[in-house]
Amino acid sequence: MSQKTVDFSSLEIWFVTGSQHLYGPETLKKVQEHATTIAQALAASPGIPVKVVCKPVMTSSDSIYQLCQEASSSKGCVGLITWMHTFSPARMWIAGLRSLSKPLLHLHTQFNQELPWSTIDMDFMNLNQAAHGDREFGFIGARMRLKRKVVVGFWQDTAVHSELGSWIRAACAWHDAQQLRVARFGDNMRNVAVTDGNKVNAAIMLGYTVNGYGVGDLVKHVQQATDSQVEALTDEYDQTYTVTESLRLGGSRRQSLQDAARIELGLRSFLEDTGAHAFTDTFEDLHGLKQLPGIAVQRLMADGYGFGAEGDWKTSALVRAVKVMSHGLDGGASFMEDYTYHLKNDGQTLGAHMLEVCPSIAEGKPTVEIHPLGIGGKEDPVRLIFTAAPGKAVNASVVDMGNRFRLIVNQVSIVRPEHALPKLPVARAVWKPEPSLKVSATAWILAGGAHHTALSRALTSEHLENFAEMAGMEYLLIDCDTTVRGFKNELRWNDIYYHLEPGL
């Protein structure tokens, strides 16, 4: 019944090498050979998640412009990796780079790792000029104020592959965002500020669109689910999870499980028909649904859909981006909420939500249970219950600051709860934030971070920083090096920069 919504098989990164005709055909032939070798090595690296396409060596303004035009219009290209093997005069790159709409990475490397001390001559020097060829290219990027990533190191090093892979994953998420549709059932939770924002600015700056739908549109799809489909899905629940006795076949609450399955079927159908890969709902607008979607949302997230509760479309889009970036990696990712604290020692956060936490972060097999919700005025909803597996993670929030979007990231360590939680009827994660709860919460609140977040055990802060730079979002990191005084200064400096940046 599940269907994954993230697929890298059709995506590719273009490897582009610069040179010029000054060095003659033999040198250019060698440049192409070296470029092909590097591209093939990157393509074979387990750290590179998409196909690497080696393009012909660029030696003229016209060829560069044509390449950038092709990249910008390509449905599969997620970005360019550029390398100046020899000296490539940067003026001929201006028109092409000005027209490029795909992310750009500048790889500063050299084909040979070591100097051939005993045989080095001017032929070798004329061929292997990245040390100053890349500086020429770096200048034009700085002069044009291009958003770009610079990676320095030998092309065979795993650390270089890791940096490239992190950036490529962010480029895949950025590529996805340009086509992303967020379906919003109902409006924002009434009178809440941080989950709202300017959807037009999001479309202009971040690419994705947010479309509102009445819950009745969803209810039609729910009602169209057949009894045989419901039976098949409840059987899948029985086989995949540990189902509580009352929800099992013949149990007193089996009908509630069937109702939850029918809602999942309707949600899937609606999202597939509209082409939406992210969505929101709110317990304040459930007309026509018997229960608030719980297990349905959790399973859809596990298949790669973005989600935000209470109409939070920014977090829904962020969860989708995190799902795309982490495709194929272990650890999982989920919509999350900082719910309550354990203030002992350096402090811990208990993260949860009413229902909607993704089982991709679970330790062990989730249980399927039914409990009262207490709000919303509907029947008791079915949900998956589990505790998140321990390990390093990142917790991120996007907020609308009026003149920009801000991405706030906190590095955390998920830990097992100190005691059992027998009466907590929701999925949860307990984590220690860096550098401490006191400092991280202070910085988060100073930055205006939301209570809704995207939590990922698969990604690092580097992935999210790369994504923020591609999106032109302000990026704030709270980690073991954060101090309140330094963070306050960073906020002040950023305010000045983003006030002046449009005129730079």
Side-chain angles (χ1 to χ4, degrees):
M1 197 71 68
S2 298
Q3 183 177 1
K4 300 297 182 182
T5 63
V6 184
D7 181 12
F8 284 180
S9 63
S10 63
L11 303 181
E12 55 192 35
I13 201 80
W14 290 4
F15 189 80
V16 182
T17 305
S19 187
Q20 59 177 320
H21 289 290
L22 175 67
Y23 306 109
E26 289 303 315
T27 297
L28 288 178
K29 181 180 178 181
K30 186 62 68 174
V31 169
Q32 186 67 68
E33 290 176 3
H34 288 177
T36 301
T37 298
I38 293 176
Q40 289 174 345
L42 295 180
S45 170
I48 307 298
V50 302
K51 181 181 179 182
V52 179
V53 177
C54 186
K55 291 295 180 177
V57 175
M58 297 290 108
T59 57
S60 69
S61 297
D62 289 343
S63 62
I64 293 168
Y65 180 77
Q66 181 178 351
L67 175 101
C68 292
Q69 289 282 296
E70 291 173 356
S72 297
S73 60
S74 170
K75 293 182 179 180
C77 175
V78 300
L80 304 186
I81 297 176
T82 55
W83 171 49
M84 305 302 115
H85 190 334
T86 64
F87 194 84
S88 181
R91 283 174 58 184
M92 68 184 186
W93 286 85
I94 293 174
L97 293 176
R98 189 172 54 208
S99 70
L100 181 66
S101 63
K102 296 293 175 73
L104 175 67
L105 183 143
H106 183 185
L107 176 60
H108 184 41
T109 191
Q110 187 169 276
F111 187 72
N112 57 297
Q113 187 174 27
E114 299 180 3
L115 286 175
W117 299 102
S118 62
T119 60
I120 188 170
D121 56 17
M122 284 310 300
D123 288 339
F124 180 92
M125 298 282 277
N126 285 332
L127 175 61
N128 297 282
Q129 297 189 56
H132 64 289
D134 275 330
R135 282 169 168 78
E136 166 76 354
F137 188 73
F139 166 75
I140 207 62
R143 179 62 180 83
M144 295 176 69
R145 293 179 173 83
L146 299 176
K147 291 187 293 186
R148 68 203 194 282
K149 174 82 171 183
V150 178
V151 174
V152 178
F154 185 50
W155 55 274
Q156 289 183 337
D157 288 349
T158 55
V160 169
H161 293 186
S162 178
E163 281 192 76
L164 295 176
S166 173
W167 180 85
I168 291 170
R169 287 183 175 280
C172 291
W174 179 243
H175 180 77
D176 181 80
Q178 306 317 295
Q179 310 155 65
L180 179 63
R181 299 175 184 176
V182 182
R184 202 163 178 237
F185 300 111
D187 203 347
N188 197 58
M189 184 177 172
R190 288 186 276 278
N191 293 317
V192 177
V194 73
T195 52
D196 217 334
N198 191 317
K199 295 186 285 292
V200 175
N201 276 355
I204 293 170
M205 299 174 65
L206 305 179
Y208 60 81
T209 58
V210 183
N211 301 305
Y213 299 93
V215 178
D217 296 326
L218 170 59
V219 170
K220 290 179 182 178
H221 284 259
V222 173
Q223 293 172 340
Q224 289 169 0
T226 66
D227 290 344
S228 61
Q229 289 175 316
V230 171
E231 182 179 357
L233 185 52
T234 53
D235 287 344
E236 183 177 326
Y237 294 165
D238 292 335
Q239 296 168 17
T240 307
Y241 313 109
T242 301
V243 180
T244 193
E245 185 175 354
S246 65
L247 294 174
R248 294 175 194 166
L249 190 64
S252 61
R253 307 297 297 274
R254 184 69 174 187
Q255 182 61 51
S256 294
L257 188 69
Q258 294 171 339
D259 293 339
R262 196 175 296 275
I263 290 173
E264 179 181 336
L265 291 163
L267 256 175
R268 286 187 182 276
S269 172
F270 184 93
L271 295 172
E272 289 168 5
D273 282 0
T274 57
H277 285 147
F279 65 103
T280 74
D281 63 20
T282 172
F283 63 87
E284 290 181 322
D285 191 354
L286 296 175
H287 183 70
L289 295 179
K290 289 187 174 182
Q291 54 183 264
L292 180 65
I295 190 173
V297 173
Q298 293 175 292
R299 285 169 48 84
L300 283 162
M301 270 195 287
D303 289 339
Y305 284 92
F307 174 76
E310 290 112 38
D312 188 352
W313 50 271
K314 296 190 299 300
T315 300
S316 178
L318 177 61
V319 171
R320 170 63 182 181
V322 166
K323 291 286 187 180
V324 173
M325 277 186 271
S326 60
H327 174 62
L329 299 178
D330 295 330
S334 180
F335 169 75
M336 188 55 68
E337 179 174 275
D338 295 62
Y339 224 107
T340 189
Y341 291 138
H342 180 61
L343 294 176
K344 183 180 178 182
N345 299 327
D346 282 340
Q348 298 176 359
T349 296
L350 172 61
H353 203 256
M354 294 183 298
L355 300 169
E356 310 95 345
V357 177
C358 180
S360 65
I361 66 171
E363 181 176 36
K365 182 187 289 189
T367 61
V368 182
E369 301 183 24
I370 183 169
H371 300 276
L373 186 60
I375 54 177
K378 292 291 182 178
E379 295 180 9
D380 300 341
V382 175
R383 79 289 303 269
L384 297 172
I385 295 181
F386 54 85
T387 299
K392 293 289 187 180
V394 286
N395 203 28
S397 169
V398 171
V399 293
D400 186 346
M401 298 303 293
N403 65 336
R404 65 193 185 275
F405 289 93
R406 170 180 283 172
L407 178 62
I408 307 156
V409 178
N410 188 195
Q411 294 185 173
V412 305
S413 294
I414 299 176
V415 298
R416 293 187 178 92
E418 295 180 9
H419 303 281
L421 299 164
K423 294 187 177 181
L424 186 61
V426 292
R428 58 269 179 164
V430 178
W431 65 81
K432 293 181 178 180
E434 293 183 6
S436 66
L437 177 59
K438 180 178 178 63
V439 174
S440 68
T442 301
W444 193 274
I445 289 170
L446 287 171
H451 53 290
H452 288 168
T453 59
L455 177 76
S456 175
R457 296 181 63 252
L459 302 180
T460 67
S461 58
E462 183 182 6
H463 293 93
L464 292 163
E465 183 176 8
N466 287 329
F467 181 74
E469 289 179 351
M470 292 174 192
M473 285 193 287
E474 178 186 6
Y475 176 78
L476 294 169
L477 175 63
I478 304 169
D479 64 3
C480 60
D481 296 323
T482 299
T483 66
V484 172
R485 178 179 296 175
F487 196 81
K488 283 182 177 179
N489 283 334
E490 186 175 0
L491 290 172
R492 295 185 184 108
W493 297 333
N494 286 5
D495 277 339
I496 294 171
Y497 170 79
Y498 282 100
H499 178 71
L500 297 175
E501 187 264 345
L504 292 177

